[in-house]
Amino acid sequence: MKTETAVMERFVQIIQNNEELSNPLHNRLQVYRDMVHSRFVETIENIYPILTTVLGNAMMHNFIREFIAIGAKTPFIVKMAEEFGNFLRHHPKLKSTLFLEDLLWLEYGELDLLSRDFKDIQAQLDWKKRYRLSSSALVRNVSYRVHAGEFESSCASSVLLYYHFDEKRVYFEEITPFALQLIELLERMTLERSIMVLAKKYELDAEILRESVEQLVVKWCHQRVLIKFTEV
Amino acid sequence: MKNIDGCGIGLRREFLEDFSALKKKPDWIEITPENWIFTPHRYRDTFEQIMDSLPVIAHGVSLSIGSPEAIDKSFLGDIKTFLDRYRIQHYSEHLSFSTLGGMQMYELLPLPMTRAMVIHIGDKVKQVQDFLQRPLILENASYYLAPYNEMREIDFINEIAEYADTTLLLDVNNVYVNGTNHGFDPDDYIKQIPPSRVAYMHIAGHLEYPDEVLLLDTHGEAISKKVWKLLERTLKKINAPVMIERDNNIPPLKELMGEYKKLSKIVAKRGAK
């Protein structure tokens, strides 16, 4: 198998790199190079459509060529997009690209949630229970107001992605720092106790706070964003 | 093949719901396990209902049986779990490679057709079969260049099947594409395959490059007249189940079912159904 291995290695090397081929229009090696490139492009651009628009097709295709040369590791093509995202995160040419990390998270997050399987568990409101983010939801801090389009002034905000069980699609929602803190607290303490902590921190009346928190938690339970701590 | 008879179709996500609603379904279906191993919530109920109602063959794309390295046991473990979960007995893969040194190309790349490769693949087939506790069916893949050959494609395939004592998935379109691209007679090729080695067959479409003598096995076009004719002649020699494989440019299910009806008529004519 020594010769065979050497032939296969050289073949893959030609596909992966951009060395000039003789008579490229009629060179069958070019057919393979194009096929592999198209396969990566189709998958990546489907998963990162906004990022592709932001970077432009030409630049995106160059990054994809570089990525092919390094090589994807997963046998599952849909998971390759995650490896590509990590490749871009560490690419020196993209160090100063604004919002790159957030865009990668948002676009891959949507695919990730659409690719997962979940148990459809709807939690009920219970003041004596702890809650946690379900596997059908993702949350991330950002430093600007997404909906207001205020991308230049620094402002704490968070983005919630969740899978809608009835519509079978992923929704995006901007949430306040207060809402994010509530999610974080609920992982560590009961709903009752979380309200007390927040009321103290923001110097608010606990009874008034209770009403608005109740609405929020009921909504999140309905959306399956939150589940009770013991539920899997 | 146990439970697999008549005509089938490749199940695709693009028409999953429409397929589920079909009153008269195909005799059996083929699915790509890599696309369903992590069955998402949005497809799960429909997918499982279909899987419960029809005989199924799993047709993989990422095994890379011809790679020089050892079989990826972790990947194979995922495949086995999936096959066991849905009680799928039949698993086929391509005679090609798509991985080298752990790097994935996600395309079916051509193998050097040599005696050493016959033994290498034959031994790996046995390992896969032992691991999966099922036979591995091997498909003749299309190729656009032959990087290093000691033997003809037909001898390469027959020798692997013989050495590993396994069966073949005969892709009639691939025979036609390869015959045109590499200058051999597809009928002569098919004549040399022992009929008893053929577990089932694929029929699919290809793309013709008008500027040069090159057919691309896109599996993304309607089946050409010449491939239909080749199938008719093949069926006179080989009595095996046949299915329509469409991987790209997926049309509405109605269009595919039109091809399926045509296939059923052809198969019925030979009296095998």
Side-chain angles (χ1 to χ4, degrees), chain B:
Chain B
M1 286 171 85
K2 200 180 169 192
N3 301 329
I4 306 289
D5 195 14
C7 303
I9 198 169
L11 185 71
R12 302 288 175 257
R13 281 185 183 174
E14 285 84 346
F15 54 70
L16 192 73
E17 293 296 334
D18 289 341
F19 187 90
S20 170
L22 275 182
K23 282 186 183 149
K24 181 155 174 29
K25 293 193 169 57
D27 300 326
W28 49 277
I29 53 168
E30 185 193 75
I31 52 124
T32 302
E34 287 86 345
N35 293 342
W36 298 102
I37 276 178
F38 310 103
T39 310
H41 178 271
R42 61 186 166 140
Y43 296 127
R44 189 187 57 203
D45 290 349
T46 312
F47 177 69
E48 294 193 339
Q49 176 249 317
I50 293 170
M51 295 294 279
D52 280 344
S53 64
L54 288 169
V56 181
I57 299 177
H59 181 50
V61 291
S62 299
L63 181 63
S64 195
I65 193 82
S67 292
E69 55 255 42
I71 293 284
D72 178 349
K73 291 278 171 65
S74 161
F75 168 74
L76 211 53
D78 287 338
I79 294 285
K80 185 173 187 325
T81 304
F82 177 82
L83 298 177
D84 289 347
R85 180 176 171 192
Y86 292 105
R87 299 179 298 280
I88 302 171
Q89 276 310 306
H90 309 290
Y91 173 57
S92 60
E93 254 287 359
H94 302 85
L95 263 173
S96 65
F97 78 107
S98 54
T99 313
L100 195 78
M103 289 183 294
Q104 302 282 343
M105 296 290 118
Y106 307 112
E107 275 296 342
L108 305 172
L109 305 180
L111 294 167
M113 294 188 232
T114 65
R115 304 258 177 249
M117 187 57 86
V118 167
I119 292 165
H120 175 69
I121 290 179
D123 289 341
K124 282 175 86 173
V125 168
K126 290 174 191 170
Q127 289 169 28
V128 170
Q129 295 186 148
D130 286 349
F131 189 97
L132 295 178
Q133 296 293 298
R134 293 164 173 81
L136 173 63
I137 304 163
L138 293 174
E139 178 182 4
N140 58 305
S142 52
Y143 58 100
Y144 308 106
L145 63 83
Y148 174 65
N149 289 354
E150 285 175 359
M151 57 212 297
R152 298 181 307 162
E153 183 197 337
I154 185 64
D155 299 325
F156 182 64
I157 286 171
N158 279 338
E159 285 193 26
I160 290 171
E162 180 83 23
Y163 181 83
D165 192 19
T166 191
T167 54
L168 298 171
L169 156 53
L170 177 64
D171 190 313
V172 175
N173 177 62
N174 289 352
V175 176
Y176 181 80
V177 165
N178 290 343
T180 307
N181 289 342
H182 302 289
F184 64 76
D185 176 4
D187 288 282
D188 185 49
Y189 178 105
I190 286 166
K191 261 184 218 159
Q192 293 178 66
I193 296 174
S196 61
R197 282 272 177 220
V198 180
Y200 71 110
M201 296 191 274
H202 274 172
I203 182 166
H206 59 257
L207 188 65
E208 196 167 340
Y209 268 49
D211 295 349
E212 54 182 312
V213 189
L214 178 68
L215 302 185
L216 265 192
D217 163 34
T218 54
H219 282 44
E221 328 293 322
I223 298 159
S224 77
K225 278 183 186 167
K226 288 177 178 173
V227 173
W228 280 120
K229 289 286 172 201
L230 180 60
L231 176 72
E232 284 178 29
R233 296 193 297 274
T234 304
L235 285 167
K236 287 179 182 157
K237 184 175 181 284
I238 298 170
N239 185 358
V242 198
M243 61 158 279
I244 292 168
E245 188 187 38
R246 185 75 173 244
D247 296 330
N248 298 300
N249 193 20
I250 308 286
L253 182 61
K254 202 177 164 190
E255 197 178 315
L256 270 187
M257 289 309 288
E259 286 194 323
Y260 177 80
K261 276 182 194 155
K262 184 172 178 176
L263 174 64
S264 297
K265 275 185 190 166
I266 292 171
V267 170
K269 258 194 217 167
R270 71 148 181 209
K273 200 175 170 185

Side-chain angles (χ1 to χ4, degrees), chain A residues 43-73:
Chain A
T43 306
I44 288 168
E45 289 189 353
N46 261 331
I47 292 163
Y48 298 111
I50 303 169
L51 185 65
T52 304
T53 308
V54 170
L55 296 178
N57 279 327
M59 190 186 257
M60 194 64 156
H61 287 198
N62 284 337
F63 285 130
I64 290 171
R65 270 189 207 97
E66 283 183 39
F67 179 61
I68 291 171
I70 292 168
K73 302 284 181 283

Side-chain angles (χ1 to χ4, degrees), chain A residues 10-22 24 29-30 32-34 36-37 58 61-70:
Chain A
R10 178 66 185 135
F11 186 82
V12 168
Q13 191 185 30
I14 291 170
I15 290 171
Q16 284 183 308
N17 66 28
N18 287 317
E19 70 184 78
E20 214 167 293
L21 297 172
S22 62
L29 284 165
Q30 189 64 42
Y32 278 103
R33 195 185 266 175
D34 292 345
V36 170
H37 187 248
H61 287 198
N62 284 337
F63 285 130
I64 290 171
R65 270 189 207 97
E66 283 183 39
F67 179 61
I68 291 171
I70 292 168

